[in-house]
Amino acid sequence: MNEQLLAFFEERKHEYVSGELLSHYFQCSRTAVWKHIQHLKKKGYVFESVPRLGYKLVAKPEKIDAAKIMRELQTKSFGRNLILIEQTGSTQTLAQQQAAAGAEEGTLVIAEKQTAGRGRMGRKWHSPPGKGVYMSLILRPDIPLAFAPQLTALVSVALCRAIRNMCGIEIGIKWPNDLLFNGKKICGILLESRAEDEKLLVVIAGIGISVNLEEADFPDDIRNRATSLFIASGAKVDREKLIANFLRELEELYAIFRSDGFHSIRILWEALSVTLHNRVEVKTGRGIVAGIAEAIDPLGGLVVRKSDGKKTTVYSGEVGFTEAAAKRAQE
Ligand code: BTN
């Protein structure tokens, strides 16, 4: 019925249609009509409703347009093989399946909506339709397993540069790969890989960007820690252009990484970092490491100087700023 209901509204653009007329036309109760309209609203359709006049369809959910991404693309291979789907559990899973079936490096899977979006540390990634970017890129780096943190840094630098260029906002990278604006998270990156004989054969770089979400689109439990490009910049962002810009940045940096190694990426990362020179507490698998974040090491790990003056490097973990550092960041 939803499809027919939409077609009915499409034919009557800019008109109010009464609940009574709809229930008569579709031979159902007015409560059933109301329920269908609520269902469509959840999918992103916007209706105006006026007592006695009825409902008017005023906006449809925005959809990512694959042809437009292709028009915007300036890459040689990244994104050229594009799989865009309406809904999936996680684009990571779909990309893994594609990689296992032999998909080439640079293949990109995008979903308008994810029902089981995955974040780091077993968390979920909130993935509502029409307003975010949820994508997974297949890389076949064939580099030592120990270089995985370098790739993480590489992806976050490319994303940070693309967003800064496009939206003009000063977002920064919290080690290892969260993108923050004024201390709130805007993007998340999740790298999943398949290694053999200590070599990284396939890496699925999963990127989630809160693009045009409004405050109300975030669930209560993350609203005070998350933000979107729209909230941060005050302007709606073109998702297709953003995807294309990111792929261009990533392809360029990946080529530099392949030919010259991590050195230049590391310098770019350090310049964009909001972690360095702050007092941090890093939750790692082996406990908490506290101290001053001093540098990123040649492998992509975070070098922390502890209170006893000794340095230690962590390669995976979750950075929390101490209260004093958080206060300084607010000033
Ligand atoms: C994080 O915890 O910060 C990482 C979030 C990564 C989310 C993206 S959305 C596209 C891709 N598919 C997923 O299921 N996760 C990643």
Side-chain angles (χ1 to χ4, degrees), residues 88-93 109-111 114 116-127 133-137 177-179 185 187-192 204-209 318:
T88 185
S90 161
T91 54
Q92 291 293 95
T93 309
V109 177
I110 308 177
Q114 295 185 120
R118 302 202 276 275
R120 291 176 64 234
M121 316 259 176
R123 288 190 287 252
K124 288 186 184 144
W125 185 259
H126 176 59
S127 316
V133 165
Y134 319 113
M135 59 185 171
S136 299
L137 183 77
N177 54 8
D178 285 347
L179 264 54
K185 183 156 163 173
C187 310
I189 298 166
L190 173 70
L191 261 61
E192 294 176 328
I204 309 293
I207 296 112
I209 316 173
E318 180 83 347

Side-chain angles (χ1 to χ4, degrees), residues 36 43 52 79 84 97 114 126 128 136 138 150 162 207 219 288 302-303 316 318:
H36 282 292
K43 286 173 94 178
R52 281 190 289 277
L84 170 64
Q97 288 162 356
Q114 295 185 120
H126 176 59
S136 299
I138 298 176
Q150 299 182 339
I207 296 112
I288 291 182
L302 186 68
V303 182
S316 69
E318 180 83 347

